[in-house]
Amino acid sequence: MRNLRIVILVVLIMFMFMAACSSEKTTETYSMIIVSGEENISETFVKYVGKTVIEYQHLTSLKVAQEKYPKYDIEKAPAILIFKDNGGELKKLVLKTYDIEEAKEWLENNK
């Protein structure tokens, strides 16, 4: 009986430890689609790739972008779409802009 109490106590301590570890704030990560058109803007965003932006796709053709991603209604280039990663394939669009400076500012504020 005493051994059972010790086992239960150890299991409870392990659960408490795991709960405490999982409540730590993790860094948000993002994915990007950059549609540059004639102007190559991908270099502008290279410094964000790695820690904050874990995946990005650079498309040089507006037509290809519109065909590949019709649900995002990309009207012109340059276009920057930033998605919040949810730890899997599901990604949520958090910013769609045609303004390069706005996208850079958003990334700076969400490091």
Side-chain angles (χ1 to χ4, degrees), residues 7-62:
V7 170
I8 291 173
L9 181 63
V10 169
V11 169
L12 286 174
I13 290 171
M14 287 176 37
F15 277 121
M16 289 172 40
F17 179 73
M18 289 188 320
C21 290
S22 66
S23 67
E24 292 178 12
K25 187 174 191 301
T26 58
T27 304
E28 297 288 343
T29 56
Y30 302 94
S31 297
M32 292 179 65
I33 297 173
I34 300 169
V35 183
S36 62
E38 294 178 18
E39 178 185 358
N40 186 358
I41 61 170
S42 65
E43 303 101 35
T44 306
F45 297 99
V46 169
K47 72 178 188 176
Y48 302 104
V49 176
K51 187 170 184 179
T52 305
V53 177
I54 59 169
E55 177 183 341
Y56 85 100
Q57 184 172 21
H58 176 221
L59 302 169
T60 57
S61 167
L62 175 60

Side-chain angles (χ1 to χ4, degrees), residues 56-103:
Y56 85 100
Q57 184 172 21
H58 176 221
L59 302 169
T60 57
S61 167
L62 175 60
K63 184 178 178 184
V64 169
Q66 290 169 331
E67 290 171 357
K68 192 168 182 176
Y69 302 105
K71 80 178 206 177
Y72 297 118
D73 194 30
I74 303 169
E75 298 170 2
K76 62 182 181 176
I80 301 99
L81 288 81
I82 301 175
F83 302 85
K84 179 179 178 185
D85 287 318
N86 295 325
E89 289 297 314
L90 298 174
K91 296 179 174 112
K92 179 182 176 189
L93 182 65
V94 292
L95 178 69
K96 174 184 167 187
T97 184
Y98 302 102
D99 184 348
I100 297 167
E101 292 304 315
E102 179 184 5

